[in-house]
Amino acid sequence: MNISPLPLAVFVVDADGVITSWNKACEKLAGCTAADIQGQRLDQIIDFDDIGEPPLSIAKRSELDSTGYLRGAGGRRLPVRVTVARQALDPEQPDTYSVIVIPRAGLVAPRYALIQDLPVGDIIEGLPCVFYVIDQSGHLLLWNRLLEDMLEMSSEELPTTDVQYFFDEKDRAEIVSKIMEAFENGHSSHEAELVGRQGKRTSMLFHCARTSVGDLPCIFGTGLDITDRKQTEHGLRVRERAIYSSVNAIVITCCENNDNIIEYVNPAFEQMTGYTLAEIKGRNPRFMRIEGCDVDEHRRINEAIRKKESVQVILRNARKNGEVFWNDLRIDPVSNIDGEVTHFVGVINDITEARHYERRLHHLAHHDPLTGLANRTLLQDELKFSIDFAVRNQMLGALAFLDLDNFKHINDNFGHDAGDVVLRDTATRLKESVRDNDTVARVGGDEFVLVINNQPGDEQLADLIERIRQRVNAPIRVAGRDILPSTSIGVSRFPIDGDTVDRVMRAADAAMYHAKTLGKNNCQFYSIELNQAVHEHLMLEASLSRAIGNREMVLGYQPKVDLRTGKVVGAEALVRWNHPENGLVPPDKFIPVAEETGLIVPLGEWVIIEACGALKALAKLGIHDFAISVNLSARQLRQRQFASHLARTLKRQGVDPRNLELEVTESQLMDHPEEAMEALAELKSLGVRLSIDDFGTGYSSLSHLQKFPVDYIKIDRSFLGEVAHDGHAVITRAIIALGHNLKLKVIAEGVETREQLAFLREHDCDQMQGYYFSPALSQRSLEELVCKDARLPG
């Protein structure tokens, strides 16, 4: 193929700079003929600006751009820019060079005007692709404007730049190879990415063909922008890889002859089902169905495919080995460019484990894990059903609350494993005691509930409950030892005692609470009177909570007297509740409620602070050798930080620890003697005094007693009685003797008569307190008593 004269002037010279060929543009630019140019050296027709001695060689000029003046006809001198480049891209070719001569700015029209001078100029400029002509040096001789836009370069810059530099460095060797391939074989094709000066990147498909212009070999070609195609291909590769690598099974079916046959499955599908693509290609996926199973879901799939719509179902299929597995299946149609559905894509998620886990969770959510009985959630559902059924059919049903007595004692003495055995055996006994349509539930640590349906009458119901109680009380053999459980049972009847779940449960709970208060191991039915008692208990609990914050509590101080001197040496702080409506509430009414609800902790803290305030007031009056004792509850003693908290309180109140005495009951110490010993040791390290209250009413071990770091023991008032005629006198003398042998002081409380006082003095008891000397006093009255040095008569 021949191209009409090129607008760029190009010489071809040998290694010595002798001109061997040229193009017509050279003659036109210089205004001379071939005879005037042939055989001349380059420096004879171009006066270089950098001429020197010796003149630069052609090889040296190929390493830089030069400027100078082209000698023309009639002595004209035309300023030009000169680019010299090795003509052969292959370094093994002979040393010939292309010399591109470009008039300097302002002397010629822009390149695109020159190209329009060509006969095919309009066609080249209008091409929707890049057009280019390259000589053997790898430089552009001709191009269209689209190439300038892609390379972000001007027409003056393009011919002076080796074309390989229009590409990434990693691609340049391949570019040179493809240009050489076109020169050698006549044509080549390749894909590459043009890189503009400002970083613009364009993916191109190049086609090159060899041609010549006179004696000047060159190639011409086109470059098609394939950026969109490359992005599409990349997207397809990514999606193909995603499908291949997906953890979900994917199957693609093709719509053929009113059927949908498998065209592709990914490795996850093969692994999930056990079938390879080769085994099942061309088959309809329905071959994995389990006939007669999940019929509605299969119908939905068939309907969606018929309508060519998406569908999502959960169903069961069979693996190749026959194993059934659960599928979460999503099917979507795929349309071609004309909108016609040609394929369906199915995405399968194996949810077999999830379904099994869901069933286990459902069971755990409604059943007790230790016994397998219904839990509170399921109990309420079953109870509601039973109540509604009883109301509709005018039948009698019952709800029984069972609480194992002293279960904590079983855990503490036999271990928690033994406790679990007791719970499981109790659950079994309860299930065997009722019918299949009744419900047995475990709703707490040692709390069980029975929903008993369709009872003939109260008498038969009472007989059943008593048989259940006796069966639960039977010995349980654990590790070669018999454990004897017992239970307290509260029963409510529906719909007699209530027609809602809440009312029936509250009634049964109240009945069980009443059974506990009556001494445990018995059964109580709900009654209106019982409801009133429980209501009063709840009201007392609510009022007590407010009372502590409203400062309705007051302290009375009962003096303690030294029996040898008759002097008041201390006092016991006794808390009283001054109720705004009911007046003074005795301690035996509210202290058990405080213990039960945990309010004893803030109440006990308030008592200690008030007692410290009384000690500070006495100290200001000059009374320093005086002790006030306060009672500690079991909850306070078990608090982890109680000792450190007490130390901060004493320091904040400015009270000498030796003036505070803490009283703990004998039973508190013996419940957990090791823990009690550790707690008392922490308190003793603060410097406070310690005493054992109600001594003789518990079951002390002398080996433990002598290890407790206490200072006093208090004889319970029940051992005084009429000491002169009573067998208690023997016990009282023994307690006094025991205390003194253990180097402890002994205090008698509840002293009310002269005879009791005389008895205590006769047997060397150290201190006393009681109505014989004084009842509990207000703080002001105590201060007056101590200041006037009131004494016990001799």
Side-chain angles (χ1 to χ4, degrees), residues 127-265:
L127 289 173
C129 59
V130 166
F131 178 82
Y132 54 89
V133 178
I134 303 173
D135 69 4
Q136 284 185 295
S137 70
H139 286 73
L140 288 169
L141 300 180
L142 184 65
W143 61 94
N144 61 357
R145 184 161 42 191
L146 188 57
L147 182 62
E148 294 177 10
D149 296 338
M150 289 184 178
L151 292 173
E152 301 171 311
M153 296 173 68
S154 67
S155 58
E156 289 79 12
E157 296 172 299
L158 285 177
T160 62
T161 305
D162 193 324
V163 294
Q164 65 177 307
Y165 294 108
F166 298 157
F167 303 89
D168 266 342
E169 184 176 356
K170 63 182 176 60
D171 298 328
R172 290 170 188 168
E174 177 69 13
I175 298 300
V176 171
S177 173
K178 288 297 181 180
I179 294 174
M180 291 297 301
E181 181 182 331
F183 274 114
E184 293 171 1
N185 301 329
H187 61 85
S188 68
S189 297
H190 65 280
E191 293 181 9
E193 194 173 53
L194 284 175
V195 181
R197 174 159 292 177
Q198 305 301 321
K200 177 182 177 181
R201 290 176 175 269
T202 310
S203 295
M204 304 292 293
L205 172 61
F206 293 103
H207 293 289
C208 304
R210 185 179 59 205
T211 187
S212 61
V213 179
D215 296 331
L216 183 64
C218 57
I219 64 171
F220 75 97
T222 58
L224 183 65
D225 184 349
I226 58 171
T227 303
D228 291 342
R229 195 196 80 186
K230 297 292 284 186
Q231 289 175 346
T232 301
E233 289 176 354
H234 177 70
L236 288 172
R237 283 195 300 272
V238 169
R239 286 189 284 275
E240 181 181 1
R241 189 63 194 176
I243 291 173
Y244 184 86
S245 304
S246 174
V247 296
N248 290 328
I250 297 175
V251 56
I252 300 176
T253 63
C254 177
C255 303
E256 274 187 17
N257 301 322
N258 295 320
D259 196 4
N260 285 281
I261 61 174
I262 295 174
E263 187 173 280
Y264 170 83
V265 296

Side-chain angles (χ1 to χ4, degrees), residues 569-590:
V569 294
E572 180 180 359
L574 301 173
V575 64
R576 299 291 184 267
W577 181 6
N578 189 12
H579 195 283
E581 297 174 2
N582 303 329
L584 281 176
V585 180
D588 60 349
K589 284 282 188 181
F590 68 84

Side-chain angles (χ1 to χ4, degrees), residues 43 46-56 61 67 71:
D43 58 5
I46 296 177
D47 294 330
F48 290 100
D49 290 339
D50 57 1
I51 191 169
E53 290 293 339
L56 293 177
R61 287 204 177 278
T67 58
R71 296 175 184 174

Side-chain angles (χ1 to χ4, degrees), residues 129 166 185 370 422 443 447 451 491 583 590 693:
C129 59
F166 298 157
N185 301 329
L370 177 65
V422 170
V443 295
E447 296 177 0
V451 179
V491 182
F590 68 84
D693 195 14

Side-chain angles (χ1 to χ4, degrees), residues 96-131:
T96 57
Y97 296 83
S98 291
V99 181
I100 302 171
V101 180
I102 304 172
R104 277 186 267 176
L107 297 178
V108 296
R111 177 208 56 74
Y112 57 83
L114 292 174
I115 202 169
Q116 288 174 353
D117 292 338
L118 298 174
V120 294
D122 290 340
I123 297 174
I124 292 174
E125 282 293 357
L127 289 173
C129 59
V130 166
F131 178 82

Side-chain angles (χ1 to χ4, degrees), residues 313-575:
V313 297
I314 293 178
L315 46 71
R316 282 160 288 187
N317 278 333
R319 307 187 206 273
K320 184 178 180 180
N321 62 8
E323 179 184 340
V324 175
F325 68 106
W326 282 93
N327 302 251
D328 183 349
L329 170 62
R330 167 84 186 196
I331 301 175
D332 291 290
V334 180
S335 303
N336 61 17
I337 195 170
D338 298 322
E340 178 187 0
V341 173
T342 59
H343 294 77
F344 283 93
V345 176
V347 180
I348 306 171
N349 184 17
D350 185 345
I351 59 170
T352 307
E353 281 300 317
R355 293 289 285 196
H356 293 332
Y357 183 61
E358 181 182 322
R359 289 181 176 179
R360 289 196 296 270
L361 282 182
H362 184 270
H363 185 271
L364 289 174
H366 294 85
H367 293 82
D368 169 50
L370 177 65
T371 64
L373 297 179
N375 63 9
R376 187 180 296 274
T377 302
L378 182 56
L379 167 68
Q380 291 185 329
D381 292 342
E382 294 292 334
L383 178 57
K384 184 178 187 309
F385 177 84
S386 294
I387 293 172
D388 292 344
F389 185 84
V391 170
R392 285 195 310 269
N393 296 279
Q394 297 182 340
M395 292 181 175
L396 175 66
L399 181 71
F401 274 20
L402 296 87
D403 188 273
L404 295 182
D405 301 326
N406 303 318
F407 183 70
K408 184 176 183 298
H409 175 78
I410 294 174
N411 274 335
D412 291 345
N413 289 276
F414 296 94
H416 286 275
D417 289 343
D420 288 348
V421 172
V422 170
L423 291 173
R424 284 194 291 265
D425 278 16
T426 300
T428 300
R429 292 175 179 184
L430 292 175
K431 285 190 291 187
E432 292 173 349
S433 299
V434 296
R435 298 159 302 184
D436 290 342
N437 65 332
D438 297 328
T439 300
V440 183
R442 179 182 175 219
V443 295
D446 58 351
E447 296 177 0
F448 296 86
V449 179
L450 303 178
V451 179
I452 304 170
N453 297 300
N454 193 17
Q455 289 298 295
D458 290 344
E459 186 176 344
Q460 292 85 348
L461 175 61
D463 289 342
L464 173 62
I465 296 298
E466 179 58 24
R467 288 198 303 272
I468 291 173
R469 187 187 68 81
Q470 291 179 7
R471 187 163 189 175
V472 170
N473 288 2
I476 296 175
R477 193 78 172 167
V478 180
R481 294 182 295 181
D482 282 341
I483 296 177
L484 296 174
S486 67
T487 181
S488 300
I489 305 176
V491 182
S492 65
R493 299 161 300 165
F494 52 83
I496 297 171
D497 298 326
D499 57 1
T500 66
V501 169
D502 183 57
R503 288 174 183 169
V504 172
M505 292 188 75
R506 280 194 287 113
D509 190 42
M512 188 186 70
Y513 177 80
H514 185 53
K516 288 281 190 183
T517 60
L518 292 178
K520 305 178 181 180
N521 195 21
N522 69 96
C523 172
Q524 295 296 317
F525 277 70
Y526 176 79
S527 67
I528 295 176
E529 294 77 12
L530 178 60
N531 180 54
Q532 181 63 31
V534 171
H535 177 72
E536 289 177 1
H537 177 84
L538 293 175
M539 292 299 294
L540 181 65
E541 182 181 321
S543 298
L544 180 59
S545 178
R546 292 192 301 269
I548 297 173
N550 294 343
R551 299 190 65 83
E552 295 173 15
M553 297 296 173
V554 293
L555 278 188
Y557 299 90
Q558 184 170 51
K560 292 181 182 179
V561 182
D562 187 300
L563 286 174
R564 294 181 181 82
T565 65
K567 183 178 180 181
V568 178
V569 294
E572 180 180 359
L574 301 173
V575 64

Side-chain angles (χ1 to χ4, degrees), residues 12-17 58-59 86-88 90-97:
V12 177
V13 300
D14 61 17
D16 296 324
I58 292 298
R86 186 182 298 275
Q87 191 173 61
D90 187 345
E92 295 181 2
Q93 292 292 320
D95 287 338
T96 57
Y97 296 83

